[in-house]
Amino acid sequence: MDKIQLQGILYDEKSSFLSGPADAPPLIREAYHSDAFNFFAEDGSEISPDKLVDHGDYTIDQYFDIEKISYSHLKYKTPLITLGGDHSITYPILKAFHRYYGPLEILHIDAHADLYDSFEGDPYSHACPFARIMEDKLASRLVQVGIRTLSDHQKEQAEQYGVEIIEMRDYSLKKVPQFKGPLYLSFDLDALDPAFAPGISHHEPGGFSSRQVLEIIQNIKAPLVGADLVEFNPKRDVNGVTAAVCAKLLKEIAARMLNS
Ligand code: MN
Ligand code: MN
């Protein structure tokens, strides 16, 4: 693999608490291009702009337009990274991936399981995407890591759908399985402790350090065909700290894609 595709989805209509993630993609790009950083991932790959086929940012009128946009890019058969947006975007993105790849293995890093059958009357809320994904059998395996907000309802949902959850309180790197692939990584920034990534809508203490999530990403050996970075809320960021975390994650994910 020598190229990665990038798309930005300017969408936060399905956020239950605060708006803001729709403004994130241009700020992640700005941090990625900033003279404050170079383009090297830690494995030594240079993720320079010529490695990225950047389709730019999309404003979304209808929720399921996200599926159409994603599907139109998958025809290039190179890995696709999506900059969100709230976490509701992952369901239509996975629908597009399913049409190309069939059921994917999914590694989902988040403070929240996002398995609600419906949230505040909306089955497509950002609290629900993984219920829809499992219901539609878009995943052959779903492993969730970093979860620290499990409700009884979401525990039942996880059991019903056979979701494997590594809760934050039980976490160690060796518990994260190796996947066969093709693998999709869905990364909600609130998996990180708010001290490391304050620019998020739901500050849930007791999360990952930046180092810990880099270790999870660098430990992926399976072919990684898609990823999203969601829930960065620039309105809550402090000195661009979270934007810089996103740019770092973008480089590290791209490096895994190029070398898997
Ligand atoms: Mn989420
Ligand atoms: Mn979350």
Side-chain angles (χ1 to χ4, degrees), residues 54-165:
D54 191 346
H55 299 288
D57 293 330
Y58 293 82
T59 31
I60 304 299
D61 294 324
Q62 301 286 327
Y63 177 58
F64 284 104
D65 289 349
I66 299 167
E67 178 184 353
K68 289 182 204 150
I69 292 160
S70 305
Y71 187 69
S72 74
H73 297 147
L74 287 175
K75 67 171 184 263
Y76 299 106
K77 292 191 171 38
T78 51
L80 174 64
I81 301 177
T82 303
L83 308 176
D86 72 38
H87 217 156
S88 70
I89 70 170
T90 302
Y91 172 50
I93 292 170
L94 260 299
K95 279 171 77 81
F97 270 84
H98 186 265
R99 285 159 66 188
Y100 246 90
Y101 293 96
L104 293 175
E105 293 180 305
I106 302 175
L107 174 59
H108 168 208
I109 305 176
D110 201 326
H112 312 95
D114 295 347
L115 281 168
Y116 280 93
D117 182 47
S118 175
F119 198 78
E120 294 172 345
D122 186 359
Y124 303 118
S125 158
H126 73 156
C128 307
F130 291 92
R132 299 291 83 75
I133 286 164
M134 296 313 278
E135 220 167 57
D136 285 4
K137 302 188 165 40
L138 305 183
S140 59
R141 183 177 191 187
L142 172 58
V143 177
Q144 300 186 320
V145 184
I147 313 301
R148 50 192 187 276
T149 53
L150 264 189
S151 61
D152 290 344
H153 168 65
Q154 292 196 97
K155 267 184 208 162
E156 283 164 22
Q157 292 280 90
E159 257 167 57
Q160 184 194 332
Y161 294 125
V163 181
E164 297 161 63
I165 300 183

Side-chain angles (χ1 to χ4, degrees), residues 12 45 80 97 102 104 148 159-160 170-171 174 177 182-183 214 255:
D12 59 14
S45 347
L80 174 64
F97 270 84
L104 293 175
R148 50 192 187 276
E159 257 167 57
Q160 184 194 332
D170 301 323
Y171 171 79
K174 62 179 189 299
L183 178 67
L214 292 172

Side-chain angles (χ1 to χ4, degrees), residues 2-260:
D2 57 354
K3 295 266 187 193
I4 304 289
Q5 304 184 81
L6 197 62
Q7 63 178 10
I9 301 293
L10 309 173
Y11 187 76
D12 59 14
E13 300 286 309
K14 304 282 181 197
S15 298
S16 57
F17 182 57
L18 295 174
S19 66
D23 302 329
L27 292 164
I28 300 173
R29 279 201 189 72
E30 192 182 302
Y32 160 75
H33 286 284
S34 166
D35 290 338
F37 316 107
N38 69 23
F39 293 118
F40 283 85
E42 293 185 358
D43 72 354
S45 347
E46 188 175 19
I47 313 298
S48 46
D50 62 301
K51 301 265 174 62
L52 302 177
V53 179
D54 191 346
H55 299 288
D57 293 330
Y58 293 82
T59 31
I60 304 299
D61 294 324
Q62 301 286 327
Y63 177 58
F64 284 104
D65 289 349
I66 299 167
E67 178 184 353
K68 289 182 204 150
I69 292 160
S70 305
Y71 187 69
S72 74
H73 297 147
L74 287 175
K75 67 171 184 263
Y76 299 106
K77 292 191 171 38
T78 51
L80 174 64
I81 301 177
T82 303
L83 308 176
D86 72 38
H87 217 156
S88 70
I89 70 170
T90 302
Y91 172 50
I93 292 170
L94 260 299
K95 279 171 77 81
F97 270 84
H98 186 265
R99 285 159 66 188
Y100 246 90
Y101 293 96
L104 293 175
E105 293 180 305
I106 302 175
L107 174 59
H108 168 208
I109 305 176
D110 201 326
H112 312 95
D114 295 347
L115 281 168
Y116 280 93
D117 182 47
S118 175
F119 198 78
E120 294 172 345
D122 186 359
Y124 303 118
S125 158
H126 73 156
C128 307
F130 291 92
R132 299 291 83 75
I133 286 164
M134 296 313 278
E135 220 167 57
D136 285 4
K137 302 188 165 40
L138 305 183
S140 59
R141 183 177 191 187
L142 172 58
V143 177
Q144 300 186 320
V145 184
I147 313 301
R148 50 192 187 276
T149 53
L150 264 189
S151 61
D152 290 344
H153 168 65
Q154 292 196 97
K155 267 184 208 162
E156 283 164 22
Q157 292 280 90
E159 257 167 57
Q160 184 194 332
Y161 294 125
V163 181
E164 297 161 63
I165 300 183
I166 302 165
E167 286 188 66
M168 194 70 225
R169 61 179 187 161
D170 301 323
Y171 171 79
S172 70
L173 182 60
K174 62 179 189 299
K175 287 188 178 165
V176 181
Q178 285 301 338
F179 296 89
K180 293 196 289 282
L183 178 67
Y184 185 93
L185 170 66
S186 186
F187 195 107
D188 183 324
L189 267 293
D190 68 30
L192 287 152
D193 192 275
F196 292 88
I200 49 166
S201 300
H202 305 267
H203 287 162
E204 190 65 43
F208 287 116
S209 68
S210 305
R211 191 74 250 158
Q212 284 176 303
V213 295
L214 292 172
E215 282 168 2
I216 296 173
I217 292 167
Q218 290 168 356
N219 199 40
I220 293 173
K221 295 185 177 71
L224 185 58
V225 295
D228 58 57
L229 285 175
V230 295
E231 297 285 346
F232 166 35
N233 185 341
K235 289 180 185 165
R236 308 258 275 181
D237 205 5
V238 180
N239 293 334
V241 167
T242 313
V245 170
C246 291
K248 174 99 177 168
L249 292 171
L250 171 62
K251 285 182 281 190
E252 292 297 320
I253 291 168
R256 285 322 312 137
M257 288 174 160
L258 289 170
N259 300 315
S260 66

